[in-house]
Amino acid sequence: MENVVGCDVAKDWIDVHGPDRVCRIDNALKAARRLARELPAGSRVGMEATGQLHVMLADTLVRQGHVVFVINPRWIHNYGKGLGLRGKTDRTDAALIARFVAAEGHGLHPYVPASAQNRQLRSLLLRRHKLVQLKVATCQSLGKAATKIVAQFEKAIGEVEVAIELLIQRSPEWKRLHQRLLTEPGVGPVLAGFLLEVLTRIPFRNQDAFIAHTGLDPRACDSGHSRGRRQLSGHGDALLRSALFTAAMSSCRRGTWRPFYEIQLRKGLAPTAALVVVARKLGRVAFGLFKSGAEFDASRLERPA
């Protein structure tokens, strides 16, 4: 029988729930290594995605030969609601994660540690995203009085972008892929960086799996003879989804993607829905460029999104 363990990861500690172990350990490398050694070989361990807090534990467990699942926190939250749980603590969350893995683990993808290069690129992209957020918030709060502060933000953003470019240039393979992604209209250096980081880190089974990771996949809502309104699943990489949508907005104002956008409008789609279709198409074409090794071909625009 498989040994299934749930871990609820916080900043300072980790609550562990398994068949023969219910405890709290420090969120530190030494404690994680001890846990990895003491768990039965090949244990299946689940934990929620927590930004960066879970990474050390997940990597340590994988190196020890355990199977790790990093799970969307929304899934765990909804699973608990479906079970009718009436309370929430770190300990009960660990037990709930273990229960989820035991019941649904067959449909989950095991965690694969990212390379040092991927982690560095992801960290730089996250830093740039945060700086842009702070810059926008400062402009909205202070207006013209924020000129000097905004200039400092722009300088910091520029430095991060240079660091991203240098990191990509150091790898001939990454450099070629980045240049190939940039041949797609609407894809700039930042979006190309997000695409590069994700596509080289996760072995997607096919194009649909990649689109599902972006959260741009439509979610059905049908019952009987009623066909409900389609909405985005919203699962997966929120930053990549935002970057694709922003690129779609920019590229639909003019240029290559404008006719494709207008076709969606003529189908009766609202402007925002049409932009989502364009963003999804941007992602599909980028995946095609990654897989085929070819540069952008405008004939792709004639294929369904």
Side-chain angles (χ1 to χ4, degrees), residues 24 47 63-64 73 101 123-124 138 150 154 181 199 210 212 233 241 251 255-256 261 270 280 301:
R24 172 173 288 183
M47 63 192 71
R63 282 196 294 267
Q64 194 67 26
V101 172
S123 176
L124 289 169
T138 301
V150 168
E154 290 176 345
L181 292 170
L199 290 170
F210 171 64
S233 71
R241 179 167 64 253
S251 59
T256 306
Y261 171 70
R280 188 159 59 238
L301 299 184

Side-chain angles (χ1 to χ4, degrees), residues 68-298:
V68 175
F69 303 104
V70 177
I71 307 164
N72 188 327
R74 190 192 308 175
W75 298 357
I76 301 298
H77 175 73
N78 290 336
Y79 188 69
K81 288 174 65 177
L83 294 174
L85 299 185
R86 302 175 64 182
K88 181 187 184 304
T89 66
D90 292 343
R91 180 174 292 183
T92 60
D93 280 352
L96 181 62
I97 292 169
R99 188 171 176 178
F100 179 84
V101 172
E104 308 296 336
H106 62 280
L108 301 175
H109 296 288
Y111 170 80
V112 179
S115 68
Q117 191 177 18
N118 278 88
R119 286 183 178 168
Q120 188 177 357
L121 177 56
R122 184 73 176 184
S123 176
L124 289 169
L125 289 167
L126 289 172
R127 190 184 309 171
R128 183 192 179 278
H129 175 74
K130 188 63 177 178
L131 286 169
V132 171
Q133 282 186 318
L134 292 171
K135 172 190 166 184
V136 171
T138 301
C139 288
Q140 292 174 340
S141 299
L142 302 179
K144 294 182 179 179
T147 303
K148 292 183 178 180
I149 302 175
V150 168
Q152 292 298 314
F153 276 126
E154 290 176 345
K155 180 182 177 182
I157 292 169
E159 290 172 351
V160 173
E161 290 175 347
V162 169
I164 291 172
E165 183 179 358
L166 290 174
L167 177 62
I168 293 172
Q169 296 298 317
R170 283 205 297 266
S171 168
E173 181 182 354
W174 275 24
K175 180 180 178 180
R176 288 192 297 270
L177 176 56
H178 192 255
Q179 290 173 341
R180 193 157 70 243
L181 292 170
L182 288 173
T183 65
E184 180 182 357
V187 176
V190 175
L191 176 55
F194 275 109
L195 290 166
L196 173 66
E197 190 278 325
V198 171
L199 290 170
T200 57
R201 174 169 52 90
I202 303 175
F204 294 105
R205 183 175 64 256
N206 52 39
Q207 195 179 85
D208 288 339
F210 171 64
I211 294 302
H213 177 78
T214 69
L216 290 170
D217 53 320
R219 180 177 60 189
C221 187
D222 300 338
S223 179
H225 295 290
S226 174
R227 188 175 188 276
R229 180 182 179 184
R230 266 47 182 169
Q231 295 179 323
L232 298 185
S233 71
H235 293 175
D237 193 331
L239 291 181
L240 176 57
R241 179 167 64 253
S242 176
L244 284 167
F245 188 79
T246 301
M249 286 195 296
S250 177
S251 59
C252 285
R253 295 193 184 103
R254 59 187 180 279
T256 306
W257 289 101
R258 182 71 190 184
F260 184 77
Y261 171 70
E262 292 175 346
I263 289 172
Q264 311 312 314
L265 294 178
R266 289 197 292 272
K267 290 179 180 178
L269 294 181
T272 300
L275 287 171
V276 168
V277 174
V278 176
R280 188 159 59 238
K281 188 68 172 179
L282 277 168
R284 288 190 181 279
V285 173
F287 184 83
L289 299 182
F290 170 71
K291 282 293 188 180
S292 67
E295 295 189 354
F296 176 77
D297 181 357

